[in-house]
Amino acid sequence: MGFLTGLFYPWGILLQGLAIIHFIRRRPDTWWLWVILFLGPPGALIYLFAEALPDAGLLRGSLKVFPRRKRIRELEHAVWDNPSAGNYEELGDLYMDDGRMGLARAAFEKAIAARSDSIDAFYRRGVCAIQLGDAAGALPDLEKVVAKEPGYDFYRAAGLLAHALARTGQKERAEELFRYVTARSVASETYLNFAELLASEGKNAEARQWAQKVLDKKPNMPGYLRRRERPWFRSANKLLKRVPA
């Protein structure tokens, strides 16, 4: 192993550093850390090929940041001359992709003021409100969407409505809606929001069951989906550690 390490010097230190940075950011299986540390540069190289290289596909959205921001600037100028609902909806979508939820919410408000028949604008404004921690503000929009189309966005709208109900203290309505949605959707987000509600009600055993269902999906998932679901896997593990059996 020392001979192999010498072959990589001084690039081996860089390889290990890159591997560790990726590990901290993406949090794959813990045993990869031991591969990086104990196998040295060869282990880091194995890790980067096995984990970091496939993750490159997840960076495509990040690579679009410059054309997206260029389009945002174009639309910000365009709405002065043409404040149409379509322009504001597109601008809101781009703000959401860019992580600027406050601006996105304001754009959807203007889109709805210009044309109030777009269910998608109400939905996205509700999502922005949830992301901003304003569950009460999200309720009217999500209720409108779910009343018109219960399965909107593969039942995510209904799942977020249940979450907003729970956040605003309407736990009985929230639990009833969560049970309806989880019978039709396998979204990890919905499972974990339901688990949080159950834990807040002292239903620890059932809360742990729903968190465990998120982790139980992992072995049968293709690699690209496991990578996308990592934040939910971490949240599920945290809940299981926090909520006593």
Side-chain angles (χ1 to χ4, degrees):
M1 188 58 67
F3 170 73
L4 289 175
T5 301
L7 287 178
F8 281 93
Y9 184 83
W11 301 107
I13 296 173
L14 178 61
L15 283 174
Q16 281 185 286
L18 290 172
I20 290 171
I21 289 171
H22 182 274
F23 178 88
I24 291 171
R25 289 181 175 176
R26 299 298 300 161
R27 301 289 182 87
D29 295 324
T30 306
W31 56 267
W32 274 116
L33 184 60
W34 305 114
V35 171
I36 297 167
L37 294 176
F38 288 104
L39 295 185
L45 190 61
I46 292 169
Y47 171 84
L48 290 170
F49 271 102
E51 288 290 328
L53 189 60
D55 269 358
L58 300 179
L59 298 176
R60 289 171 187 165
S62 300
L63 296 176
K64 295 178 182 178
V65 63
F66 296 112
R68 179 172 66 239
R69 289 181 179 173
K70 179 182 178 182
R71 180 57 180 160
I72 286 173
R73 289 192 296 271
E74 291 173 352
L75 284 169
E76 287 173 338
H77 286 94
V79 293
W80 288 101
D81 297 322
N82 182 18
S84 67
N87 278 343
Y88 274 119
E89 283 193 43
E90 184 183 355
L91 183 58
D93 287 340
L94 291 170
Y95 279 143
M96 286 185 78
D97 291 341
D98 212 37
R100 293 187 271 178
M101 295 299 168
L103 291 173
R105 186 181 187 181
F108 289 124
E109 286 174 355
K110 291 177 180 177
I112 290 167
R115 183 185 67 196
S116 61
D117 62 347
S118 173
I119 189 174
D120 190 62
F122 283 100
Y123 171 62
R124 292 183 179 278
R125 186 173 69 173
V127 173
C128 290
I130 288 284
Q131 294 292 325
L132 292 166
D134 183 11
L139 275 176
D141 286 338
L142 295 175
E143 285 177 331
K144 184 180 183 71
V145 172
V146 173
K148 188 171 183 179
E149 191 174 330
Y152 193 82
D153 197 12
F154 303 98
Y155 289 94
R156 187 179 183 225
L160 289 176
L161 174 57
H163 181 54
L165 289 168
R167 290 286 184 177
T168 53
Q170 303 179 63
K171 293 188 177 183
E172 289 186 9
R173 285 187 63 198
E175 184 171 339
E176 181 182 358
L177 185 54
F178 268 129
R179 294 195 186 280
Y180 170 82
V181 175
T182 53
R184 294 160 176 79
S185 168
V186 295
S188 298
E189 177 184 44
T190 303
Y191 281 12
L192 284 169
N193 285 337
F194 187 24
E196 290 287 354
L197 169 62
L198 292 167
S200 74
E201 295 177 318
K203 300 176 182 179
N204 292 352
E206 192 177 4
R208 291 176 59 86
Q209 287 174 7
W210 284 104
Q212 186 60 50
K213 284 184 180 183
V214 174
L215 298 175
D216 289 343
K217 294 189 292 181
K218 185 176 179 180
N220 297 320
M221 277 184 171
Y224 77 96
L225 275 182
R226 283 202 301 272
R227 290 178 175 84
R228 289 183 180 178
E229 291 277 300
R230 276 175 183 163
W232 301 119
F233 295 150
R234 288 198 291 270
S235 295
N237 278 314
K238 287 178 182 177
L239 188 144
L240 289 172
K241 291 177 182 177
R242 174 168 51 86
V243 176

